[in-house]
Amino acid sequence: MFSVFTEVWEAKEIQVNIKAMSNYSHKVNVLRRNRDKNEVENLYNKKPSKGTKTYFTSFDYSYGDFTEVSSNELVPGDIIELPENNKNMPCDALILTGSAVINEALLTGESTPVFKVAVSKNQNFSFHERKNRASIVHTGTNIFQIRKGAKGKALALVLNTGFNTEKGNLVRSIVFPKDTEVRFREESIKIIFFMAFLAVLGYAVSLPFMIHDGVSTEEKIMRGVDLFIDTVPPSIPYCIAIGIYLSVLRLNDKGIRCISRERVSDIGKVDLICLDKTGTLTEEEVELEGFRRTKLESNLFLFNHFQTKIDSTIKESFLYYKDKLHGAFREKISKQKELKLLFTECLATCHNITKLDDKLMGDPIDLEMFKSTGWELVETQEENSIIQSSVFPKEEKSLSEKLATCDPDQEDSIIKDHYELVIIKRFDFTSKLQRMSVICKNPNEEIYKIFTKGSPEKIQDLCREDTIPDNFMEILNKYTGKGYRVLGLAGKPVKISYMNSNIIEREKLEQNMVFLGLMIIHNKLKMNTIDTITELQEANQKMLMATGDNILTAIAVSKDCNLISKDVQVFTCKIEKNEKTKKYNILWEEIEKYNDDDEDSDRKSDLVSISKRRSSMSAADDDSSISAEEIASELDDEGELKKMIMEKEEENNQLMLEELRFHLEEGPEFENIQVMFDPKKMTNFMEEDFIIAIQGSTFETIWKLRNNYVKLKDEKFKEYYNLFRLILQNTAIYARMAPDHKTILVESLKEENFIVLMCGDGANDCGALKVANVGVSLTKENSIAAHFTSEKQDISCITEVLREGKCSLVTAISCFKAMILYSYIQFLSVTYLITVHSYLLDSQFLSADILIVPALQVFMAYTEPAPTLTPHQPVGELFSFPMMASLICQTFIQAMFQYLAYMIISYMPNFKQGGCLVRRDVDDPISCDTNTIVFFMATMQYYISTMIFSITRPYRKPIYTNYVFMIYFIASFSYFTKIILVPDEFSAWLFDYVVYDNPNIKYYIFIFGIINFAVSYTFEAGIIPMLTRIYYRSKYFETLRKIQTKKYDPNLQELQD
């Protein structure tokens, strides 16, 4: 009953905490208007296309009134005002007008404020959550600041409420978690059923003896119930849960919060750790190392020298623009200076920075990039403004300041002389596209400009071939090979109307761009990264990195933090098209070291060969010129608009319901892919010292090929299945991984029977954190995105979690074994006494069931984890060799000593045989020499089983450091020893035992107990581990023999087990 009560109390406590975390409401202003029946039917009965959500609503809210209601009354389709004053969002909503600066830390763990803008102002719109996520505000996010739109209001359309929201889905996963302990629970149920069968068998054996003794029917039933409860103790769940509960408390004291207690036992079985890089291994804050902008020399785009500061470039661009504005370049303009101007304007505009309380907020890279220009940012506060924000050089004053101090007749000339860029539209960064873009306009120019920033490889694909320097890959590999993060910059002027700028797709603009240069950034390793990784490696913990950075950057950082050896061979695979056969090949190549320290070296990279490209521009030197009309790449507004409208009508928005199952943008046909590698060399992982580093796009393609074999069982795809397993087992670095790639990776590793711990710091890791066996998020904010959240912002928390996990698992197994053995001992005692016409008395049952066993096994769980992480892996399976060998051996030992003690002592002088029959008047047994011997021996065996299963090395501290356990053990055992050796009337009355006439009997009982402990401890501490090593060594060599004789498909996981 106590066990049931504590379980219910703990469940209630968890439910209360979850409710306090998830239940939130406040007053909101909602637009209520009457709809006729046809409008409602049209709104809700129209079926959206598969994978999309389609909403039809009017943006004309001039009729109807805003009413203040509780957020609990909101329903999808309502139009509300965004709450102010630092309030949380009560629903998922789509911003219709205005904008907002929000904090999504509760959902993502990312504390950097996010800027959300209104959707396009079309009358009817269809959207997908992926495409319009920049306009969606989720439940539970905190709104720092709103900027009002039309009619002085910031409005949003309610999309989801309650459990249908993003936060609701996370809360539901906590309340109804996936069963993560299926195997452990199934095995424990099997053992309990076996014990129940044993109880029935024991009752069947003892029933004839009870009939012979004339026991009444009622007493027979009661003894059967006693036997069943003795054999299947109801306190097992409580004894197992107490260890988990104490581990959670200790983690909480160390600043590691847990929202999913059932994951604690999984930690002890973790055999692979997946680490993010930025914000996890390295600092979130960045250091801007410098720039490599492009320049023109002899018809070629070349890299300029490395610049740590660009103040001179910024000033030259400003002076050049002023000279051009004043007519200095009326006929011809300088290409070199125009290129430098585009570079400056790209740095000043291509970001997602906002202002909060007059302080710049945004991504650390964006902040450092913008600060390097010295420009100023001004955000519009006007209603219905087409401008999101504007930037201007530090040499300029803001336009409002200029106009406030000038004469009215000077306003036109001041406006024409003013240099400012307004940001019309932002295309936010997405991990899939690996870039962000902005559309800007100078009010004094007719053309618009688009700037793009992103991964250099993607920027290279988007730029005109003649603007890419010949040594692009060489320079890129030079910096990424040293561990730097590198971003590519591009831009171009375009002729386009404002109407088109709002509806044109980014893919139409992000093409044929001019490459402007590279921005080099450095993320320093966090203070404890190297020490923690070294400790994890000493514990034989397998680790890998999954990052969105360049593959060479990831390799360099991995070597710096000792994640991989500096001398290890690193192989990568890529997909290449064979122009002759028109087929795609998966090719393997070794990534060689790059040690060139000269910043301006022209040496070719050993990894990538690059063909020279000639510029098509007709200039001959640094001051070459082109006509002003040739600057803009023209887009026919009318023709382009018609084309886009037709494409919009034909556009298929059918995205798959599962977010992970997305398609490659221009992926090769699967049936045309061939694998080109040496299987003998690459699969001989036991002898070759190598690792694999792979790109996210390649990983995704091979994953899809492998799925074809899994789903279709087509033999032609089996080589991809084996290849994918090879990659999973040997890859240490996954680069250019989108959030969905990370999620696929974790799920695939779990399918290979790895127990995966994922550690990340923010939004890009949310999917992987949720699907991992154990998710650890590094954030100071309260978050429900991961099972564990660490306030300490480095990976040292992983060692704390692993130590507690192993301690908790070993404690649970030890408590389980002790309870099972306790049940066996009591079962043997009761069954044996019935066969000799005796029985245990109620006081003797209660002494074990209340005073000894539960207390000792609860206090046993208070032993803390070992101070250092051990390389040993605890056995997490009940039907494992060491578990079953231990239980079988200990059960046999206890049964043997109970029988030997009774047989030897029963032949001693003055031992009274018989006299233990029940009293006929009350059907109760009476105390006698027989049940006294069994009671004393069984009680000593309870202490023995608790002590031998408290063997703590190497997962927990020594048992003597558990002061609560030791005090209770010593006190209770001392008292029990006293009542054996120095019996007294009170104790004899309390426990219903007899005082032997032969004083030597009590010494024999005590000596038998000591010998019993010595034998049990020797088996548990020495013989069982020795047998276990022999067993697993024989399994290992048997598996190795099968591999060598080619009769077995190598499986690294089985060898690890």
Side-chain angles (χ1 to χ4, degrees), residues 730-798:
N730 294 277
T731 300
I733 297 168
Y734 295 84
R736 292 296 184 212
M737 295 286 281
D740 289 335
H741 290 150
K742 294 182 181 180
T743 306
I744 292 172
L745 171 62
V746 172
E747 287 189 329
S748 300
L749 290 168
K750 288 171 64 179
E751 291 173 3
E752 287 294 308
N753 296 323
F754 285 103
I755 306 297
V756 183
L757 184 149
M758 175 70 196
C759 184
D761 69 316
N764 288 342
D765 307 311
C766 277
L769 288 170
K770 284 186 284 187
V771 301
N773 299 94
V774 180
V776 180
S777 176
L778 306 182
T779 174
K780 294 181 179 180
E781 306 286 339
N782 289 325
S783 172
I784 57 177
H787 312 117
F788 297 88
T789 303
S790 173
E791 294 179 357
K792 195 173 183 181
Q793 302 296 289
D794 59 59
I795 62 171
S796 62
C797 66
I798 294 179

Side-chain angles (χ1 to χ4, degrees), residues 321-327 396 399 402-403 406 409-420 442-445:
Y321 173 80
K322 287 293 186 178
D323 290 341
K324 186 174 70 170
L325 191 66
H326 296 152
E396 291 272 12
L399 186 59
K402 289 182 178 180
L403 296 178
C406 72
D409 57 349
Q410 295 179 326
E411 289 184 357
D412 289 343
S413 61
I414 288 177
I415 292 174
K416 290 180 180 179
D417 188 61
H418 184 66
Y419 182 25
E420 185 171 326
N442 186 329
N444 292 323
E445 296 178 346

Side-chain angles (χ1 to χ4, degrees), residues 395-572:
E395 292 85 358
E396 291 272 12
K397 292 183 179 180
S398 67
L399 186 59
S400 59
E401 289 182 17
K402 289 182 178 180
L403 296 178
T405 58
C406 72
D407 295 332
D409 57 349
Q410 295 179 326
E411 289 184 357
D412 289 343
S413 61
I414 288 177
I415 292 174
K416 290 180 180 179
D417 188 61
H418 184 66
Y419 182 25
E420 185 171 326
L421 291 174
V422 297
I423 299 175
I424 303 298
K425 187 174 183 178
R426 285 187 176 97
F427 298 104
D428 290 311
F429 174 86
T430 66
S431 298
K432 184 178 180 181
L433 298 178
Q434 299 180 21
R435 63 183 183 271
M436 74 158 294
S437 299
V438 293
I439 301 176
C440 306
K441 189 178 189 307
N442 186 329
N444 292 323
E445 296 178 346
E446 295 183 359
I447 59 173
Y448 286 72
K449 293 179 181 178
I450 177 170
F451 296 106
T452 301
K453 173 180 91 253
S455 71
E457 299 90 344
K458 284 292 182 183
I459 298 299
Q460 181 187 22
D461 294 339
L462 299 175
C463 290
R464 288 161 45 187
E465 187 175 348
D466 59 327
T467 67
I468 303 296
D470 290 340
N471 60 343
F472 174 84
M473 287 304 301
E474 180 184 354
I475 297 298
L476 176 61
N477 291 344
K478 182 183 299 182
Y479 291 109
T480 55
K482 295 176 182 179
Y484 293 114
R485 295 179 67 185
V486 181
L487 294 179
L489 307 171
K492 69 174 181 179
V494 294
K495 288 185 177 180
I496 192 174
S497 67
Y498 171 73
M499 180 176 65
N500 277 7
S501 71
N502 273 299
I503 63 174
I504 191 171
E505 294 182 351
R506 63 188 300 176
E507 289 79 6
K508 302 294 181 182
L509 292 173
E510 296 170 337
Q511 56 183 349
N512 296 323
M513 304 190 74
V514 176
F515 180 69
L516 301 177
L518 300 174
M519 180 168 64
I520 297 95
I521 305 155
H522 182 52
N523 290 93
K524 289 185 177 180
L525 290 175
K526 290 186 176 181
M527 184 179 300
N528 294 326
T529 295
I530 296 178
D531 292 340
T532 302
I533 292 214
T534 301
E535 182 178 359
L536 291 172
Q537 287 178 334
E538 290 175 352
N540 292 336
Q541 198 70 59
K542 182 179 175 67
M543 289 174 285
L544 60 85
M545 176 195 292
T547 177
D549 281 345
N550 179 278
I551 192 169
L552 295 181
T553 301
I555 292 172
V557 172
S558 298
K559 291 183 177 180
D560 289 342
C561 68
N562 296 333
L563 186 66
I564 62 175
S565 170
K566 290 181 170 56
D567 298 323
V568 69
Q569 283 183 298
V570 182
F571 288 88
T572 187

